[in-house]
Amino acid sequence: MARTARRGGATDETGRYAVLYPAIAEAAHRVGATAIGLIDVGRPAALNLCVDRVGITYSDGVFLGDPDSPVQESCSIVHGGAVPDRAMPPVVRRVAVTRHRPDVEDALLAEDPPVRFYGDVVELLSEAIAAVPEDALVVVTTTRALSRLPIPRRPSFVDRLREAATGRTVAWVSAEGVGAAPSVPTLGDRPASGHSIVGVAVYRGSEQHVDAVGRCWSRGRMLDWFP
């Protein structure tokens, strides 16, 4: 079980750290990034922005993150997979894009609060990306956020990522329900099947590489990381 030191916030979001950490590290590894700017979309508490500030123990013995953090998570690896034992680069900017303000700032964010944008998350995405220093890889994260967007608007989210990538490399790490994330492979899974597909997309100029790297259940507390 997780040990948390937080004020308010949705504790069920913390399980997603175990999914996001290796996926963000994978995105950074693919482009050789040495620094990243995290942009979390659609979660008012923006707890995903704390992903590098927690410790995560996987059932196969791999540990990722900060061993001294007051927040320690555990995750069960299923189906014989194994997450890469790879650290993510330093986070130099944290940005939250949400429709509403949070009720209270999370304890791990309070001392170094993120840049926040409030309003239409699709329309604000370009501005949020521009807030990340040019020498850092933009990593946009969504966890069950696109399912809150009307279906016709979801492709516009990806369009914003592609537009931003004309001038810089942009990565998108997602943990969304089957079929909710445009362009992320569904692996033949049925929609509304109860699990999320973990996607890693990299957009650079006119190039794009989009992969499904795993499946997760129980809000990230069970993970099948693909070889």
Side-chain angles (χ1 to χ4, degrees), residues 5-218:
R6 66 182 65 258
R7 298 191 304 268
T11 56
D12 65 359
E13 293 194 31
T14 60
R16 298 184 176 94
Y17 297 145
V19 175
L20 291 176
Y21 192 108
I24 294 169
E26 174 65 21
H29 175 72
R30 291 184 179 189
V31 302
T34 57
I36 60 176
L38 284 180
I39 301 175
D40 188 52
V41 175
R43 312 297 301 190
L47 300 187
N48 290 341
L49 295 177
C50 300
V51 62
D52 61 320
R53 295 174 171 172
V54 305
I56 310 156
T57 301
Y58 297 86
S59 60
D60 60 354
V62 171
F63 180 88
L64 297 175
D66 182 359
D68 298 320
S69 172
V71 179
Q72 296 294 320
E73 295 290 332
S74 61
C75 178
S76 296
I77 298 295
V78 298
H79 300 158
V83 296
D85 187 6
R86 182 184 296 131
M88 72 169 66
V91 178
V92 298
R93 183 64 50 84
R94 301 171 204 270
V95 183
V97 183
T98 62
R99 184 169 294 278
H100 306 293
R101 295 177 181 272
D103 294 331
V104 64
E105 193 76 85
D106 182 80
L108 290 181
L109 289 175
E111 293 184 5
D112 182 21
V115 179
R116 290 187 178 272
F117 295 90
Y118 303 108
D120 186 295
V121 297
V122 174
E123 296 302 322
L124 288 171
L125 193 54
S126 298
E127 189 175 355
I129 290 172
V132 175
E134 288 289 338
D135 57 352
L137 171 67
V138 173
V139 181
V140 177
T141 62
T142 65
T143 53
R144 291 280 183 174
L146 294 189
S147 61
R148 293 174 168 80
L149 287 177
I151 292 176
R153 297 217 65 204
R154 295 175 190 174
S156 297
F157 177 87
V158 178
D159 289 343
R160 293 293 187 275
L161 299 177
R162 291 173 175 160
E163 291 166 3
T166 59
R168 66 189 304 175
T169 302
V170 175
W172 172 31
V173 169
S174 58
E176 300 284 347
V178 178
S183 76
V184 175
T186 60
L187 310 172
D189 297 351
R190 294 181 293 104
S193 54
H195 66 271
S196 296
I197 292 179
V198 186
V200 172
V202 175
Y203 305 95
R204 180 160 37 190
S206 61
E207 299 179 1
Q208 63 176 29
H209 300 278
V210 186
D211 296 306
V213 297
R215 296 182 177 93
C216 64
W217 294 261
S218 300

